[in-house]
Amino acid sequence: MKLHEYQSKNLYAKYNIPIPRGRIASTPGDARQICEELGGTVVIKSQVLVGGRGKAGGIRLVKSPEEAEEAATQILELQIKGLPVRKVLIDEAISIKKEIYIGITNDRINQKPVIIASGNGGMDIEEVARKSPDKIIKININPLIGLRDYQVRDIALHIDLPRNLWRSLNDIVFSLWKVYVDSDATLVEINPLVITSENKLVALDAKVVLDDNALYRHPDLADLRDLDAEDPSEIAGRKFGVSFIKMNGQIGCMVNGAGLAMATMDVIKHFGAEPANFLDIGGGASSEKVAAALRLIIADENVKAILINVFGGITRCDEVAKGLVAACSEVQPRVPIIVRLVGTNEEEGKRILAGSSLIYVDSLVEGARQAITLIKESA
Ligand code: GDP
Ligand code: MN
């Protein structure tokens, strides 16, 4: 789950990370009033859950309440990477001497958290990472020991930070680490962390991504979820306990297990087609769950065929087959459904499917090929 910038900043502020004064607005009128309160120049920032807002025109520096109202009107009409802007953050403008990148995330290869920093922060950090990786420092944190002072000093040296700001950087990085651990985050980021013209460090932007699987431990953070900013089908998926992520292809997928779901999508792509979604129905899927998943998939008009790939371990193939047949008679899907079903009680499952309109295949490869052929034939 991603937090909005303003939510991330509020979280950082609780840990004493310095952020600009500012408030959130949903109307141009509010934006104007907040600008009046803050006095002077402000930055109007679109709140959408994607990066690169600056480059998309979603961030504007304005000098008066009138301008603030006008800029907010325009930004609130924007769509950034397909997402409508529903709120804007009005922050006091800060004059910037230098932009620093700092972030903490999971390093899966080294199986440890990693802190990433660069003296060339700001909107082009991806470019910096590609073209001059030497300008980026990465330091693993031992989760049992935690962050150490010397690690922050290494960062300060690498980004050439003036000595008088070392203590401040130390406080900020330790706070960021604490946010990361306390909230079970998978990413905490400040880009840019700026040196202001008054020689202070301030977090001008904030990004937090939380681990969905740990959200039950953080009801206060879970409440921050912005349902407006998510795809309705993903919200519905969560309600039925299936992980659903909508994509743009023609082959709907229903799979048990996240890894197998990824492999299924890979195979579809390998044969030149595109998956319409990621869907993990989890273990021991009941017919209600299967029906709910089927409804989610066919609600997408792009879907021209459905590939179901189930490996029966704890999940029993006969149960799934029954669930599928029941779900199909209820939902009446308008596209062909291809099923690969192997593992526990496979034979029984096959028998149940034999009397239905579902197409049974022996292997995943065959399933993907069938789906592609059927789509071509129907086109
Ligand atoms: P992003 O493009 O979505 O990452 O949005 P950011 O919040 O990082 O803002 C993008 C850029 O806008 C920053 O890198 C700054 O250069 C600039 N910016 C943001 N806030 C201010 C501000 O208060 N004053 C000035 N001068 N520039 C700002
Ligand atoms: Mn940024």
Side-chain angles (χ1 to χ4, degrees), residues 261-341:
M262 298 294 276
T264 305
M265 292 162 69
D266 281 349
V267 169
I268 289 171
K269 282 188 90 95
H270 177 79
F271 287 105
E274 294 289 329
N277 64 279
F278 168 96
L279 194 161
D280 171 13
I281 49 171
S286 62
S287 69
E288 294 85 60
K289 224 170 162 184
V290 172
L294 208 53
R295 262 187 240 110
L296 274 179
I297 295 174
I298 59 172
D300 177 354
E301 293 189 347
N302 290 332
V303 170
K304 297 288 181 290
I306 298 174
L307 177 56
I308 297 178
N309 185 17
V310 171
F311 180 79
I314 296 170
T315 306
R316 286 165 37 203
C317 293
D318 54 326
E319 273 292 313
V320 175
K322 271 186 214 151
L324 278 173
V325 172
C328 284
S329 70
E330 187 202 324
V331 179
Q332 306 267 355
R334 53 179 165 74
V335 296
I337 300 183
I338 298 118
V339 187
R340 179 215 179 215
L341 194 57

Coordinates of all heavy atoms in Angstrom, one line a residue, residues 261-341:
A261 N 1.3 -17.8 -10.3 CA 0.6 -16.7 -11.0 C 1.6 -15.9 -11.9 O 1.4 -15.6 -13.1 CB -0.1 -15.8 -10.1
M262 N 2.8 -15.6 -11.3 CA 3.8 -14.9 -12.1 C 4.3 -15.8 -13.2 O 4.5 -15.3 -14.4 CB 5.0 -14.6 -11.2 CG 4.7 -13.7 -10.0 SD 4.3 -12.1 -10.5 CE 5.9 -11.3 -10.7
A263 N 4.5 -17.1 -13.0 CA 5.0 -18.0 -14.0 C 4.0 -18.1 -15.1 O 4.3 -18.1 -16.3 CB 5.3 -19.4 -13.4
T264 N 2.7 -18.1 -14.8 CA 1.7 -18.2 -15.8 C 1.7 -17.0 -16.7 O 1.6 -17.1 -17.9 CB 0.3 -18.3 -15.1 OG1 0.3 -19.4 -14.2 CG2 -0.8 -18.5 -16.1
M265 N 1.9 -15.8 -16.1 CA 1.9 -14.6 -16.9 C 3.2 -14.6 -17.8 O 3.1 -14.2 -18.9 CB 2.0 -13.4 -15.9 CG 0.6 -13.2 -15.2 SD 0.8 -12.1 -13.7 CE 1.1 -10.6 -14.5
D266 N 4.3 -15.1 -17.2 CA 5.5 -15.2 -18.0 C 5.2 -16.1 -19.3 O 5.7 -15.7 -20.4 CB 6.6 -15.8 -17.2 CG 7.3 -14.8 -16.3 OD1 6.9 -13.6 -16.4 OD2 8.1 -15.2 -15.4
V267 N 4.6 -17.2 -19.1 CA 4.4 -18.1 -20.2 C 3.5 -17.5 -21.2 O 3.7 -17.6 -22.4 CB 3.8 -19.5 -19.7 CG1 3.3 -20.3 -20.8 CG2 4.8 -20.2 -18.9
I268 N 2.4 -16.8 -20.8 CA 1.5 -16.1 -21.7 C 2.4 -15.1 -22.5 O 2.2 -15.1 -23.8 CB 0.4 -15.4 -20.9 CG1 -0.6 -16.4 -20.4 CG2 -0.3 -14.4 -21.9 CD1 -1.6 -15.8 -19.4
K269 N 3.2 -14.3 -21.9 CA 4.0 -13.4 -22.6 C 5.0 -14.1 -23.5 O 5.3 -13.6 -24.6 CB 4.8 -12.5 -21.6 CG 3.9 -11.4 -21.0 CD 4.7 -10.4 -20.2 CE 5.2 -9.3 -21.0 NZ 4.3 -8.1 -20.9
H270 N 5.5 -15.2 -23.1 CA 6.5 -15.9 -23.9 C 5.9 -16.3 -25.2 O 6.6 -16.3 -26.2 CB 7.0 -17.2 -23.1 CG 7.9 -18.0 -23.9 ND1 9.2 -17.7 -24.0 CD2 7.7 -19.2 -24.6 CE1 9.8 -18.6 -24.8 NE2 8.9 -19.5 -25.1
F271 N 4.6 -16.6 -25.2 CA 4.0 -17.0 -26.5 C 3.4 -15.8 -27.2 O 2.6 -16.0 -28.2 CB 3.0 -18.1 -26.3 CG 3.6 -19.4 -26.0 CD1 3.7 -19.9 -24.7 CD2 4.3 -20.1 -27.0 CE1 4.3 -21.1 -24.4 CE2 4.9 -21.3 -26.7 CZ 4.9 -21.9 -25.4
G272 N 3.7 -14.6 -26.8 CA 3.4 -13.4 -27.6 C 2.1 -12.8 -27.2 O 1.7 -11.9 -27.9
A273 N 1.4 -13.2 -26.1 CA 0.2 -12.5 -25.7 C 0.4 -11.8 -24.4 O 1.5 -11.8 -23.9 CB -0.9 -13.5 -25.6
E274 N -0.6 -11.1 -23.9 CA -0.5 -10.3 -22.7 C -1.5 -10.7 -21.7 O -2.7 -10.9 -22.1 CB -0.7 -8.8 -23.0 CG 0.4 -8.2 -23.9 CD 1.7 -8.0 -23.2 OE1 1.7 -7.8 -21.9 OE2 2.8 -8.1 -23.9
P275 N -1.1 -10.9 -20.4 CA -2.1 -11.2 -19.4 C -3.0 -10.0 -19.1 O -2.5 -8.9 -19.2 CB -1.3 -11.6 -18.2 CG 0.1 -11.0 -18.4 CD 0.2 -10.8 -19.9
A276 N -4.2 -10.3 -18.8 CA -5.2 -9.2 -18.4 C -5.1 -8.8 -17.0 O -5.6 -7.8 -16.5 CB -6.6 -9.6 -18.8
N277 N -4.5 -9.7 -16.2 CA -4.5 -9.5 -14.7 C -3.5 -10.5 -14.1 O -3.2 -11.5 -14.6 CB -5.9 -9.7 -14.1 CG -6.3 -11.1 -14.3 OD1 -6.8 -11.5 -15.3 ND2 -6.1 -11.9 -13.2
F278 N -3.2 -10.1 -12.9 CA -2.5 -11.1 -11.9 C -3.6 -11.5 -11.0 O -4.3 -10.6 -10.5 CB -1.4 -10.3 -11.2 CG -0.9 -11.1 -10.0 CD1 0.3 -11.9 -10.1 CD2 -1.5 -11.0 -8.8 CE1 0.8 -12.6 -9.0 CE2 -1.0 -11.7 -7.7 CZ 0.2 -12.5 -7.8
L279 N -3.8 -12.8 -10.7 CA -4.8 -13.1 -9.7 C -4.3 -14.4 -9.0 O -4.1 -15.4 -9.6 CB -6.1 -13.4 -10.4 CG -7.4 -13.5 -9.4 CD1 -8.6 -13.2 -10.2 CD2 -7.4 -14.8 -8.6
D280 N -4.2 -14.2 -7.7 CA -3.8 -15.4 -6.8 C -5.0 -15.7 -5.9 O -5.4 -14.8 -5.1 CB -2.6 -15.0 -6.0 CG -2.3 -16.0 -4.9 OD1 -2.9 -17.1 -5.0 OD2 -1.5 -15.7 -4.0
I281 N -5.7 -16.8 -6.2 CA -6.9 -17.1 -5.3 C -6.5 -17.8 -4.0 O -7.3 -18.0 -3.2 CB -7.9 -18.1 -6.0 CG1 -7.2 -19.3 -6.6 CG2 -8.7 -17.3 -7.0 CD1 -8.2 -20.3 -7.1
G282 N -5.2 -18.0 -3.8 CA -4.7 -18.5 -2.5 C -5.0 -20.0 -2.4 O -5.5 -20.7 -3.4
G283 N -4.7 -20.6 -1.3 CA -4.9 -22.0 -1.1 C -6.4 -22.4 -0.8 O -7.1 -21.5 -0.3
G284 N -6.7 -23.6 -1.0 CA -8.1 -24.1 -0.7 C -9.2 -23.2 -1.1 O -10.1 -23.0 -0.3
A285 N -9.2 -22.8 -2.3 CA -10.2 -21.8 -2.8 C -11.6 -22.5 -2.9 O -11.8 -23.5 -3.6 CB -9.8 -21.3 -4.2
S286 N -12.5 -21.9 -2.2 CA -13.9 -22.4 -2.2 C -14.6 -21.9 -3.5 O -14.1 -21.1 -4.2 CB -14.7 -21.8 -1.1 OG -14.7 -20.4 -1.2
S287 N -15.8 -22.5 -3.8 CA -16.5 -22.1 -5.0 C -16.9 -20.7 -5.0 O -17.0 -20.0 -6.0 CB -17.7 -23.1 -5.3 OG -18.7 -22.9 -4.4
E288 N -17.2 -20.2 -3.8 CA -17.6 -18.7 -3.7 C -16.5 -17.8 -4.1 O -16.6 -16.9 -4.8 CB -18.0 -18.3 -2.2 CG -19.2 -19.0 -1.7 CD -18.9 -20.3 -1.1 OE1 -18.1 -20.4 -0.2 OE2 -19.5 -21.4 -1.6
K289 N -15.3 -18.2 -3.7 CA -14.1 -17.4 -4.0 C -13.8 -17.5 -5.5 O -13.5 -16.5 -6.1 CB -12.9 -18.0 -3.2 CG -12.0 -16.9 -2.6 CD -11.0 -17.6 -1.6 CE -9.9 -16.7 -1.3 NZ -8.9 -17.4 -0.5
V290 N -13.9 -18.8 -6.0 CA -13.7 -18.9 -7.4 C -14.7 -18.1 -8.3 O -14.3 -17.4 -9.2 CB -13.8 -20.4 -7.8 CG1 -13.7 -20.6 -9.3 CG2 -12.6 -21.2 -7.2
A291 N -15.9 -18.1 -7.8 CA -16.9 -17.3 -8.5 C -16.6 -15.8 -8.5 O -16.7 -15.1 -9.5 CB -18.3 -17.6 -7.9
A292 N -16.2 -15.4 -7.3 CA -15.9 -14.0 -7.1 C -14.7 -13.6 -8.1 O -14.7 -12.6 -8.7 CB -15.5 -13.7 -5.7
A293 N -13.7 -14.5 -8.1 CA -12.5 -14.2 -8.9 C -12.9 -14.2 -10.4 O -12.5 -13.3 -11.2 CB -11.5 -15.3 -8.7
L294 N -13.8 -15.1 -10.8 CA -14.3 -15.2 -12.2 C -15.0 -13.9 -12.6 O -14.8 -13.4 -13.6 CB -15.2 -16.4 -12.3 CG -15.3 -17.1 -13.7 CD1 -13.9 -17.5 -14.2 CD2 -16.2 -18.3 -13.6
R295 N -15.8 -13.4 -11.7 CA -16.6 -12.2 -11.9 C -15.6 -11.0 -12.1 O -15.8 -10.2 -13.0 CB -17.5 -11.9 -10.8 CG -18.9 -12.4 -11.1 CD -19.9 -11.9 -10.0 NE -20.5 -13.1 -9.4 CZ -20.3 -13.5 -8.2 NH1 -19.5 -12.9 -7.4 NH2 -21.0 -14.6 -7.8
L296 N -14.6 -11.0 -11.3 CA -13.6 -9.9 -11.4 C -12.9 -9.9 -12.8 O -12.8 -8.9 -13.4 CB -12.5 -10.1 -10.3 CG -12.7 -9.5 -9.0 CD1 -11.5 -9.9 -8.1 CD2 -12.9 -8.0 -9.1
I297 N -12.6 -11.1 -13.2 CA -11.9 -11.3 -14.5 C -12.7 -10.9 -15.6 O -12.3 -10.1 -16.5 CB -11.3 -12.7 -14.7 CG1 -10.3 -13.0 -13.6 CG2 -10.7 -12.9 -16.1 CD1 -9.8 -14.5 -13.6
I298 N -14.0 -11.4 -15.7 CA -14.8 -11.1 -16.9 C -15.4 -9.7 -16.8 O -15.9 -9.2 -17.8 CB -15.9 -12.1 -17.1 CG1 -16.8 -12.2 -15.9 CG2 -15.3 -13.5 -17.4 CD1 -18.0 -13.1 -16.2
A299 N -15.3 -9.0 -15.7 CA -15.8 -7.6 -15.7 C -14.9 -6.7 -16.6 O -15.3 -5.7 -17.0 CB -15.8 -7.1 -14.3
D300 N -13.7 -7.2 -16.9 CA -12.8 -6.5 -17.8 C -13.1 -6.8 -19.2 O -13.0 -8.0 -19.6 CB -11.4 -6.9 -17.4 CG -10.3 -6.3 -18.3 OD1 -10.7 -5.6 -19.3 OD2 -9.1 -6.5 -18.0
E301 N -13.6 -5.8 -20.0 CA -14.0 -6.1 -21.3 C -12.9 -6.5 -22.3 O -13.2 -7.0 -23.4 CB -14.7 -4.8 -21.9 CG -16.0 -4.6 -21.1 CD -16.9 -3.5 -21.7 OE1 -16.4 -2.8 -22.6 OE2 -18.1 -3.4 -21.3
N302 N -11.7 -6.2 -21.9 CA -10.6 -6.6 -22.8 C -10.4 -8.1 -22.8 O -9.7 -8.7 -23.7 CB -9.3 -6.0 -22.3 CG -9.2 -4.5 -22.5 OD1 -9.9 -4.0 -23.5 ND2 -8.5 -3.8 -21.7
V303 N -10.9 -8.8 -21.8 CA -10.6 -10.2 -21.6 C -11.3 -11.0 -22.7 O -12.5 -11.0 -22.9 CB -11.1 -10.7 -20.2 CG1 -11.0 -12.3 -20.1 CG2 -10.2 -10.1 -19.1
K304 N -10.5 -11.8 -23.5 CA -11.1 -12.6 -24.6 C -11.0 -14.1 -24.3 O -11.6 -14.9 -25.0 CB -10.3 -12.3 -25.9 CG -10.5 -10.8 -26.3 CD -11.9 -10.6 -26.8 CE -12.1 -9.1 -27.3 NZ -12.1 -8.1 -26.2
A305 N -10.2 -14.5 -23.3 CA -10.1 -15.9 -22.9 C -9.6 -15.9 -21.5 O -8.9 -15.0 -21.0 CB -9.2 -16.7 -23.8
I306 N -9.9 -17.0 -20.8 CA -9.4 -17.1 -19.4 C -8.6 -18.4 -19.2 O -9.0 -19.5 -19.7 CB -10.6 -17.1 -18.4 CG1 -11.4 -15.8 -18.5 CG2 -10.1 -17.3 -17.0 CD1 -12.7 -15.8 -17.7
L307 N -7.5 -18.2 -18.6 CA -6.6 -19.4 -18.4 C -6.5 -19.6 -16.9 O -6.1 -18.8 -16.1 CB -5.2 -19.1 -18.9 CG -4.1 -20.2 -18.7 CD1 -4.5 -21.5 -19.3 CD2 -2.8 -19.7 -19.3
I308 N -7.0 -20.8 -16.5 CA -6.9 -21.2 -15.1 C -5.8 -22.2 -14.8 O -5.8 -23.2 -15.5 CB -8.3 -21.7 -14.6 CG1 -9.4 -20.6 -14.8 CG2 -8.3 -22.2 -13.2 CD1 -10.8 -21.0 -14.5
N309 N -5.0 -21.9 -13.9 CA -3.8 -22.8 -13.7 C -3.8 -23.1 -12.2 O -3.4 -22.2 -11.4 CB -2.5 -22.1 -14.2 CG -1.3 -23.0 -14.1 OD1 -1.5 -24.2 -14.0 ND2 -0.1 -22.4 -14.1
V310 N -4.1 -24.3 -11.9 CA -4.2 -24.7 -10.4 C -3.3 -25.9 -10.2 O -3.4 -26.9 -10.9 CB -5.6 -25.0 -10.0 CG1 -5.6 -25.5 -8.6 CG2 -6.4 -23.7 -10.0
F311 N -2.4 -25.7 -9.2 CA -1.7 -26.9 -8.7 C -2.2 -27.3 -7.4 O -2.2 -26.5 -6.4 CB -0.2 -26.5 -8.6 CG 0.6 -27.6 -8.1 CD1 1.0 -28.7 -9.0 CD2 1.0 -27.7 -6.8 CE1 1.7 -29.7 -8.5 CE2 1.7 -28.8 -6.3 CZ 2.1 -29.8 -7.2
G312 N -2.8 -28.5 -7.4 CA -3.4 -29.0 -6.1 C -2.3 -29.6 -5.2 O -1.7 -30.6 -5.4
G313 N -2.1 -28.9 -4.1 CA -1.3 -29.4 -3.0 C -2.3 -29.6 -1.8 O -3.0 -30.6 -1.7
I314 N -2.3 -28.6 -1.0 CA -3.4 -28.6 0.0 C -4.7 -28.4 -0.7 O -5.7 -29.0 -0.3 CB -3.1 -27.4 1.0 CG1 -1.8 -27.7 1.8 CG2 -4.3 -27.3 2.0 CD1 -1.3 -26.5 2.6
T315 N -4.7 -27.5 -1.7 CA -5.9 -27.3 -2.5 C -6.2 -28.6 -3.2 O -5.3 -29.2 -3.8 CB -5.6 -26.2 -3.5 OG1 -5.1 -25.1 -2.9 CG2 -6.9 -25.9 -4.3
R316 N -7.5 -29.1 -3.2 CA -7.8 -30.3 -3.9 C -8.4 -30.0 -5.2 O -9.3 -29.2 -5.3 CB -8.7 -31.2 -3.0 CG -8.0 -31.8 -1.8 CD -8.9 -32.4 -0.8 NE -10.1 -32.9 -1.4 CZ -11.3 -33.0 -0.8 NH1 -11.4 -32.6 0.5 NH2 -12.3 -33.5 -1.4
C317 N -7.9 -30.7 -6.3 CA -8.4 -30.4 -7.6 C -9.9 -30.6 -7.7 O -10.6 -29.9 -8.5 CB -7.7 -31.3 -8.6 SG -5.9 -30.9 -8.8
D318 N -10.5 -31.7 -7.1 CA -11.9 -31.9 -7.2 C -12.7 -30.7 -6.6 O -13.7 -30.3 -7.2 CB -12.3 -33.2 -6.6 CG -11.9 -33.3 -5.1 OD1 -10.8 -32.8 -4.8 OD2 -12.6 -33.9 -4.3
E319 N -12.2 -30.2 -5.5 CA -12.9 -29.0 -4.9 C -12.9 -27.8 -5.9 O -13.9 -27.2 -6.1 CB -12.1 -28.6 -3.7 CG -12.5 -29.3 -2.4 CD -14.0 -28.9 -2.0 OE1 -14.2 -27.7 -2.0 OE2 -14.7 -29.8 -1.7
V320 N -11.7 -27.6 -6.5 CA -11.6 -26.5 -7.4 C -12.5 -26.7 -8.6 O -13.2 -25.8 -9.1 CB -10.1 -26.3 -7.9 CG1 -10.0 -25.2 -8.9 CG2 -9.3 -25.9 -6.7
A321 N -12.5 -28.0 -9.1 CA -13.3 -28.3 -10.3 C -14.8 -28.0 -10.0 O -15.5 -27.4 -10.8 CB -13.1 -29.7 -10.7
K322 N -15.2 -28.5 -8.8 CA -16.6 -28.2 -8.4 C -16.9 -26.7 -8.3 O -17.9 -26.2 -8.8 CB -16.9 -28.8 -7.0 CG -17.4 -30.3 -7.1 CD -17.7 -30.8 -5.7 CE -17.4 -32.2 -5.5 NZ -17.1 -32.6 -4.1
G323 N -16.0 -26.0 -7.7 CA -16.1 -24.6 -7.6 C -16.2 -23.9 -9.0 O -17.0 -23.0 -9.2
L324 N -15.4 -24.4 -9.9 CA -15.4 -23.8 -11.2 C -16.7 -24.0 -12.0 O -17.3 -23.1 -12.5 CB -14.2 -24.4 -12.1 CG -12.9 -23.8 -11.8 CD1 -11.8 -24.6 -12.6 CD2 -12.8 -22.3 -12.3
V325 N -17.2 -25.3 -11.9 CA -18.4 -25.6 -12.6 C -19.6 -24.8 -12.0 O -20.4 -24.2 -12.7 CB -18.7 -27.1 -12.5 CG1 -20.1 -27.4 -13.1 CG2 -17.6 -27.9 -13.3
A326 N -19.6 -24.7 -10.7 CA -20.7 -24.0 -10.0 C -20.6 -22.5 -10.4 O -21.6 -21.9 -10.7 CB -20.6 -24.2 -8.5
A327 N -19.4 -22.0 -10.3 CA -19.2 -20.6 -10.6 C -19.6 -20.2 -12.0 O -20.2 -19.2 -12.3 CB -17.7 -20.2 -10.3
C328 N -19.2 -21.1 -13.0 CA -19.5 -20.9 -14.4 C -21.0 -20.9 -14.6 O -21.6 -20.1 -15.4 CB -18.9 -21.9 -15.3 SG -17.1 -21.6 -15.5
S329 N -21.7 -21.8 -14.0 CA -23.2 -21.8 -14.2 C -23.8 -20.6 -13.6 O -24.8 -20.1 -14.1 CB -23.8 -23.1 -13.6 OG -23.8 -23.1 -12.2
E330 N -23.2 -20.1 -12.6 CA -23.7 -18.9 -11.9 C -23.4 -17.6 -12.7 O -24.2 -16.7 -13.0 CB -23.2 -18.8 -10.5 CG -23.8 -17.6 -9.7 CD -22.9 -17.2 -8.5 OE1 -22.3 -18.1 -8.0 OE2 -22.9 -16.0 -8.3
V331 N -22.1 -17.5 -13.1 CA -21.6 -16.3 -13.7 C -21.8 -16.2 -15.2 O -22.0 -15.1 -15.8 CB -20.1 -16.1 -13.4 CG1 -19.5 -14.8 -14.0 CG2 -19.9 -16.1 -11.9
Q332 N -21.9 -17.4 -15.9 CA -22.1 -17.5 -17.3 C -21.1 -16.6 -18.1 O -21.5 -15.7 -18.8 CB -23.5 -16.9 -17.7 CG -24.6 -17.6 -16.9 CD -25.2 -18.8 -17.7 OE1 -24.9 -19.1 -18.8 NE2 -26.1 -19.5 -17.0
P333 N -19.8 -17.0 -18.0 CA -18.8 -16.2 -18.7 C -19.0 -16.3 -20.2 O -19.4 -17.3 -20.8 CB -17.5 -16.9 -18.3 CG -17.9 -18.2 -17.8 CD -19.3 -18.1 -17.3
R334 N -18.7 -15.2 -20.9 CA -18.9 -15.0 -22.3 C -17.6 -15.4 -23.1 O -17.6 -15.2 -24.3 CB -19.3 -13.6 -22.7 CG -18.4 -12.6 -22.1 CD -18.6 -11.2 -22.3 NE -17.7 -10.5 -21.3 CZ -16.4 -10.4 -21.4 NH1 -15.7 -10.9 -22.5 NH2 -15.7 -9.8 -20.5
V335 N -16.6 -15.9 -22.5 CA -15.3 -16.2 -23.2 C -14.9 -17.6 -22.8 O -15.3 -18.2 -21.8 CB -14.2 -15.2 -22.8 CG1 -14.6 -13.8 -23.2 CG2 -13.9 -15.3 -21.3
P336 N -14.1 -18.2 -23.7 CA -13.7 -19.6 -23.4 C -12.8 -19.6 -22.2 O -12.0 -18.7 -21.9 CB -12.9 -20.0 -24.7 CG -12.5 -18.7 -25.3 CD -13.6 -17.7 -25.0
I337 N -12.9 -20.7 -21.4 CA -12.1 -20.9 -20.2 C -11.3 -22.2 -20.4 O -11.8 -23.3 -20.6 CB -13.0 -21.0 -19.0 CG1 -13.8 -19.7 -18.8 CG2 -12.1 -21.2 -17.7 CD1 -14.7 -19.7 -17.6
I338 N -10.0 -22.0 -20.2 CA -9.1 -23.1 -20.4 C -8.5 -23.5 -19.0 O -8.1 -22.6 -18.3 CB -7.9 -22.8 -21.3 CG1 -8.5 -22.5 -22.7 CG2 -6.9 -23.9 -21.4 CD1 -8.3 -21.1 -23.2
V339 N -8.6 -24.8 -18.6 CA -8.2 -25.1 -17.3 C -7.0 -26.1 -17.3 O -7.1 -27.2 -18.0 CB -9.3 -25.8 -16.5 CG1 -9.0 -26.0 -15.1 CG2 -10.6 -24.9 -16.6
R340 N -6.0 -25.8 -16.6 CA -5.0 -26.8 -16.3 C -5.0 -27.1 -14.8 O -5.0 -26.2 -14.0 CB -3.6 -26.3 -16.6 CG -2.5 -27.3 -16.3 CD -1.2 -26.5 -15.8 NE -0.2 -27.5 -15.5 CZ 0.7 -27.2 -14.5 NH1 0.5 -26.1 -13.8 NH2 1.6 -28.1 -14.2
L341 N -5.2 -28.3 -14.4 CA -5.5 -28.7 -13.1 C -4.7 -30.0 -12.7 O -5.1 -31.0 -13.2 CB -7.0 -29.0 -13.0 CG -7.7 -29.1 -11.6 CD1 -7.5 -27.8 -10.8 CD2 -9.2 -29.3 -11.9

